[in-house]
Amino acid sequence: ELKVEQNPLFLSMQEGKNYTIYCNYSTTSDRLYWYRQDPGKSLESLFVLLSNGAVKQEGRLMASLDTKARLSTLHITAAVHDLSATYFCAVGGNTGTASKLTFGTGTRLQVTL
Amino acid sequence: DAGVIQSPRHEVTEMGQEVTLRCKPISGHDYLFWYRQTMMRGLELLIYFNNNVPIDDSGMPEDRFSAKMPNASFSTLKIQPSEPRDSAVYFCASSTTTANYGYTFGSGTRLTVV
């Protein structure tokens, strides 16, 4: 059974600081997705990583995927308050088609002034 | 496109009553997923369909839960009878065959069973 672990579970950081969220998974997969969820809201797609070595960047967020290490990272650069939310990684299948997503526990990010 | 549309947004019902949640996927998406989110268990896949056919229902908690997809533009998740432990946010999501652009989630239905 696929297991997806995120750490940390909770992250309090000051504006302007950098930090990284880690997502480890237990079985082979080359598809990993990052989502953002604001309180009481739905999941918003941030990044789609489809191959080993994939790197995507949007604003202050950058995601990468190492399929050999079964690890994805979400790096936050110079955090701002608007980034406060819960971030989930989700691992898909290995067949090139859509399949069930297994989600991590989420990392609740709080950016303080 | 209006995205994945779920209804109702909120549902409060009494224990023992039947509850039906509805989902309209994005046109052209041939995969549809039902997820449940709770504080204790996080996001869990309940069931997913491909071209209206259920592929994996191993996440459906018990026989009280059933899901259908009578056509490409509509799916329902039914709970009968409902119990307080079914209280959660239920999300519907859809994707293309390759999922190369990710999975799009609906706004969710917040279910409260009292």
Side-chain angles (χ1 to χ4, degrees):
Chain A
E1 180 188 345
L2 173 61
K3 293 193 185 304
V4 182
E5 295 184 349
Q6 278 183 245
N7 68 82
L9 297 182
F10 179 75
L11 176 57
S12 180
M13 56 190 300
Q14 287 184 315
E15 277 201 336
K17 299 293 187 182
N18 304 333
Y19 210 82
T20 300
I21 299 171
Y22 296 89
C23 175
N24 290 89
Y25 53 98
S26 62
T27 64
T28 303
S29 175
D30 58 3
R31 293 171 160 259
L32 191 133
Y33 305 83
W34 284 95
Y35 288 89
R36 167 182 172 146
Q37 186 178 38
D38 291 290
K41 302 294 186 182
S42 184
L43 289 95
E44 173 192 353
S45 179
L46 292 175
F47 298 110
V48 177
L49 303 170
L50 299 177
S51 61
N52 185 41
V55 177
K56 296 278 184 75
Q57 182 164 6
E58 180 74 32
R60 301 173 187 276
L61 301 178
M62 183 174 71
S64 65
L65 177 62
D66 182 343
T67 60
K68 294 179 182 177
R70 298 177 186 169
L71 170 69
S72 180
T73 60
L74 181 65
H75 187 73
I76 303 155
T77 302
V80 293
H81 181 70
D82 284 353
L83 291 180
S84 297
T86 299
Y87 293 85
F88 291 93
C89 64
V91 179
N94 210 22
T95 62
T97 61
S99 64
K100 68 177 287 184
L101 284 180
T102 301
F103 280 83
T105 50
T107 296
R108 187 177 158 209
L109 173 65
Q110 185 176 60
V111 181
T112 58
L113 296 172
Chain B
D1 200 318
V4 176
I5 300 172
Q6 290 186 248
S7 64
R9 290 294 304 273
H10 302 274
E11 177 82 35
V12 179
T13 191
E14 292 186 344
M15 183 173 63
Q17 296 298 306
E18 177 180 297
V19 176
T20 299
L21 312 181
R22 297 171 176 81
C23 176
K24 176 179 169 55
I26 292 174
S27 176
H29 282 194
D30 47 12
Y31 279 80
L32 182 139
F33 304 81
W34 283 99
Y35 280 86
R36 178 171 69 175
Q37 185 176 35
T38 61
M39 288 294 293
M40 291 296 292
R41 301 174 66 90
L43 280 151
E44 308 173 274
L45 177 70
L46 300 177
I47 185 172
Y48 77 94
F49 296 84
N50 175 216
N51 291 324
N52 314 336
V53 176
I55 302 301
D56 183 349
D57 65 354
S58 59
M60 296 286 262
E62 48 198 272
D63 291 346
R64 297 185 298 106
F65 285 69
S66 62
K68 294 181 179 179
M69 192 165 185
N71 57 61
S73 59
F74 185 65
S75 177
T76 59
L77 178 68
K78 185 179 294 186
I79 308 172
Q80 165 64 18
S82 57
E83 297 182 3
R85 59 190 166 129
D86 301 330
S87 298
V89 180
Y90 291 80
F91 288 105
C92 176
S94 70
S95 80
T96 61
T97 299
T98 61
N100 286 349
Y101 298 98
Y103 299 66
T104 304
F105 282 75
S107 54
T109 295
R110 182 174 295 276
L111 174 65
T112 304
V113 184
V114 299

